[in-house]
Amino acid sequence: MKKNIFVVFGLACYLSSPLVMAAGSGEVNFKGVIIDAPCGIAPTSSDQTIDFGQLSLTHLNSGGHSNSIPLKIELVNCSLNIGGSNTVLIKFTGDTVGITKNLLATTGDTNTAIVISSTDGDINFGSASTAQELGVGKNTIAFQAWVTQASESNVVNAGTFTAVTNFTLEYL
């Protein structure tokens, strides 16, 4: 009799336990920043990585540069001032090479630099761009970036490089 009670008790525990087992789990983190500005910055624009891939040493040393890659800053949910000036200036900052301030220095021993250009010409790091007119809602400000020799007197070397530029917006 005691054996039957234990078997019935065990069977009851088995049948009352959940039959579905968890197959995995995860975590969702939320973050954001509230800024005092007429536009927000899209998450894909506030932290970008541009990969130039594998570049030809011979091409760069013969005065060439990499293919241009789009660099876009997307402004979202723009609420503009009625009757006011609705423009933005963008300033890129970073360590530069040479006296012209339009060549962003790269790390490593490749003797390369990054150029950022708008429709108005090359960007001078540390100086504001030409004012960009804004519309209500979403605005995309387009630039191009490419890799070039840091200077004609330095030969480009094989190796890896990185560079960082930060941008700030000034609304007028």
Side-chain angles (χ1 to χ4, degrees):
M1 179 76 174
K2 287 184 181 181
K3 288 182 182 179
N4 289 339
I5 293 174
F6 284 120
V7 170
V8 171
F9 179 74
L11 184 59
C13 289
Y14 174 76
L15 292 175
S16 67
S17 67
L19 296 177
V20 179
M21 302 293 278
S25 63
E27 178 177 277
V28 177
N29 294 292
F30 299 93
K31 69 177 189 169
V33 177
I34 309 301
I35 59 174
D36 184 12
C39 299
I41 301 173
T44 55
S45 292
S46 63
D47 188 11
Q48 300 183 48
T49 299
I50 294 178
D51 186 349
F52 289 103
Q54 298 179 23
L55 305 174
S56 166
L57 177 72
T58 305
H59 178 70
L60 292 173
N61 275 327
S62 65
H65 60 77
S66 71
N67 289 333
S68 298
I69 300 206
L71 186 165
K72 296 179 181 178
I73 299 175
E74 187 176 81
L75 304 177
V76 294
N77 302 320
C78 294
S79 300
L80 305 176
N81 298 323
I82 296 173
S85 177
N86 295 307
T87 56
V88 64
L89 301 174
I90 300 174
K91 183 184 345 179
F92 290 94
T93 57
D95 293 333
T96 58
V97 176
I99 58 172
T100 61
K101 302 295 183 199
N102 69 333
L103 297 172
L104 179 67
T106 61
T107 63
D109 295 325
T110 60
N111 293 321
T112 56
I114 308 293
V115 176
I116 298 176
S117 183
S118 71
T119 56
D120 297 326
D122 295 348
I123 299 296
N124 284 327
F125 293 91
S127 298
S129 68
T130 303
Q132 303 288 319
E133 198 68 34
L134 297 173
V136 173
K138 179 178 157 182
N139 294 267
T140 301
I141 303 169
F143 298 92
Q144 296 288 320
W146 61 85
V147 178
T148 190
Q149 284 178 289
S151 74
E152 292 178 17
S153 62
N154 290 333
V155 174
V156 174
N157 298 313
T160 60
F161 64 89
T162 60
V164 175
T165 185
N166 294 303
F167 68 86
T168 55
L169 306 175
E170 181 183 346
Y171 295 93
L172 304 176

